[in-house]
Amino acid sequence: MTDATTNPLSGLWQPTQLQRLHYGSGTVSKHLLDCLPSSSSKAFIITGNSLATKTPLVQSVEDLLGSKHAGTFSKIGEHAPVAQLDEATKLVEDDPSIDTVISIGGGSPIDSAKAISYRLHENNAKWLHHIAIPTTLSASECTFMAGYTESSGVKTGVRAKELVPHVVLYDASFALHTPSRLWTSTGLRALDHALELLYHPTASEMPARWQALQAASALFKHLPEYQKDPKNEDVITKLQLAAFASLGFLGYNVKGGLGLSHALGYALGSPYKIPHGITSCLTLGHVVKLKAATDPDAAVQVARLLPFLGEAGSGDAKRDAEAVGERVLQLVRVLGLDADLRNYEVGRDQIPVITKRATGVESGEVYDAVEGLVKGLFV
């Protein structure tokens, strides 16, 4: 088999195990029970404390499940700390009747549900049926990776093709309960996915890059619309579908991590308690401009986006890709999101630490380029 490359006329796309994608307001109440793997299924809910205690969402899912509800774990924190993951895994493992896990929330509950399934398989060769109900645009529901935070504070993770959720339910009525700043910042995370998938060397042209272009275009258009009217469920649904398009066609063929902006996000996120949506706000525009200047293949791919943003291309890939990077920085400003690392408890003495975490090296041309980028985040 031939892996996909930056050459659009040669490649491979391997679909994931996703079975169903339902979208639209009221999707959960209409379809949740039909998405269980059998009539005798028992489902365990993984979510966060805020959703469980400050919204009616978790209770509504418990009520829908009725006798099929096997329990709820609502202690999952930001970046999925391993101690909470250990506790939730034991609860699921102790009840052999559970065959389904339902994640409600953003990336941390979804990743935690994946990691629990991975651990159960390691212990007893059992994979859980996973139904994801996302309430952010982080798109963790689209991947076969699960990230969590070690006791040291460093993000780590597992990956397996069986970790892609079997069912995704995008319900705009659930997203109405998401704070608007969290929603828009995770929208930047989705844009991060789309752009890094666009220039990923093993992404397939069809459908991954084609969908990434559409996703990025939709995010640029609809995020400002959402900011003006955060209760518009049609706009919310359009953004949910854009988030899916940003990463849902990743495919099993993609090798390695997504790219530098994601690597920097992991280096900044859990060690300094910065939400991953915000890390994308900080890094993405600068990374795109760096790629434009230093990676001709990446510049060609990024430049393809400019006409989707309503601008005519100049024919100079480097210039057009830099313009896309500038448009990302402008979008962050329009949405009123963070663009300054000084707003967080990160000292300049951490620049070499962050650079090494993101690059895996301590010196050289790549290190110097990324170090310069990290310095520029302290604006």
Side-chain angles (χ1 to χ4, degrees):
M1 293 187 293
T2 304
D3 288 340
T5 68
T6 49
N7 178 352
L9 302 182
S10 173
L12 166 73
W13 180 62
Q14 295 177 289
T16 69
Q17 68 178 10
L18 177 69
Q19 298 171 359
R20 300 170 73 169
L21 170 70
H22 290 287
Y23 56 92
S25 188
T27 283
V28 172
S29 61
K30 292 175 188 174
H31 300 293
L32 177 64
L33 294 181
D34 293 338
C35 295
L36 294 170
S38 76
S39 59
S40 60
S41 288
K42 293 284 188 178
F44 192 88
I45 297 171
I46 300 292
T47 190
N49 183 63
S50 291
L51 280 176
T53 61
K54 297 179 181 178
T55 79
L57 300 180
V58 177
Q59 183 66 55
S60 71
V61 173
E62 292 174 348
D63 292 344
L64 279 169
L65 290 170
S67 62
K68 298 180 184 299
H69 177 225
T72 296
F73 186 85
S74 59
K75 301 179 188 176
I76 298 298
E78 196 169 67
H79 301 296
V82 71
Q84 298 165 359
L85 192 58
D86 291 341
E87 187 179 349
T89 301
K90 187 173 189 314
L91 289 172
V92 176
E93 197 167 29
D94 286 347
D95 186 347
S97 71
I98 296 171
D99 65 355
T100 300
V101 63
I102 299 175
S103 55
I104 308 173
S108 294
I110 296 171
D111 275 7
S112 294
K114 292 183 200 173
I116 290 166
S117 184
Y118 185 92
R119 288 167 159 210
L120 257 64
H121 181 262
E122 281 193 320
N123 294 342
N124 57 27
K126 171 185 176 181
W127 293 106
L128 294 171
H129 185 79
H130 185 178
I131 300 172
I133 306 175
T135 60
T136 73
L137 298 172
S138 64
S140 175
E141 65 275 8
C142 298
T143 77
F144 50 93
M145 287 87 70
Y148 57 92
T149 305
E150 295 280 17
S151 55
S152 64
V154 176
K155 196 76 172 275
T156 186
V158 293
R159 58 192 295 156
K161 64 181 183 179
E162 294 87 356
L163 293 185
V164 177
H166 299 82
V167 177
V168 176
L169 302 176
Y170 286 128
D171 193 325
S173 67
F174 271 55
L176 289 174
H177 295 273
T178 303
S180 57
R181 186 173 183 271
L182 175 60
W183 184 260
T184 53
S185 66
T186 57
L188 260 293
R189 189 65 172 172
L191 184 60
D192 202 338
H193 301 326
L195 284 169
E196 297 231 284
L197 188 58
L198 193 58
Y199 56 65
H200 195 286
T202 67
S204 63
E205 175 68 10
M206 172 60 71
R209 288 197 180 102
W210 280 39
Q211 293 296 333
L213 288 165
Q214 294 291 342
S217 174
L219 290 161
F220 268 102
K221 178 180 179 181
H222 298 308
L223 282 170
E225 291 176 353
Y226 168 86
Q227 188 183 39
K228 293 176 183 175
D229 185 7
K231 300 301 181 184
N232 187 319
E233 294 187 29
D234 286 347
V235 171
I236 288 171
T237 300
K238 288 175 183 178
L239 286 168
Q240 289 173 319
L241 295 177
F244 182 80
S246 77
L247 211 53
F249 298 93
L250 182 75
Y252 289 142
N253 53 283
V254 171
K255 305 294 190 297
L258 271 183
L260 177 59
S261 184
H262 278 72
L264 282 166
Y266 294 129
L268 288 167
S270 52
Y272 306 104
K273 298 180 172 54
I274 304 174
H276 276 314
I278 297 299
T279 65
S280 292
C281 297
L282 292 164
T283 64
L284 180 59
H286 300 291
V287 167
V288 170
K289 294 179 82 168
L290 177 64
K291 299 290 281 188
T294 61
D295 186 339
D297 288 339
V300 168
Q301 295 298 332
V302 174
R304 298 170 64 184
L305 180 59
L306 202 56
F308 287 79
L309 305 182
E311 291 189 34
S314 68
D316 181 331
K318 178 177 178 291
R319 182 188 304 172
D320 291 348
E322 286 178 342
V324 171
E326 191 55 48
R327 287 291 297 269
V328 172
L329 296 174
Q330 180 184 357
L331 179 62
V332 173
R333 291 192 292 269
V334 166
L335 297 175
L337 297 169
D338 285 342
D340 189 347
L341 199 51
R342 292 178 302 177
N343 293 335
Y344 298 88
E345 294 180 7
V346 186
R348 290 180 179 272
D349 63 313
Q350 295 298 296
I351 291 172
V353 177
I354 294 165
T355 305
K356 182 182 176 182
R357 280 197 192 118
T359 62
V361 297
E362 297 185 37
S363 62
E365 188 175 338
V366 171
Y367 179 94
D368 291 343
V370 175
E371 183 184 48
L373 187 156
V374 175
K375 288 178 179 177
L377 300 181
F378 294 87
V379 294

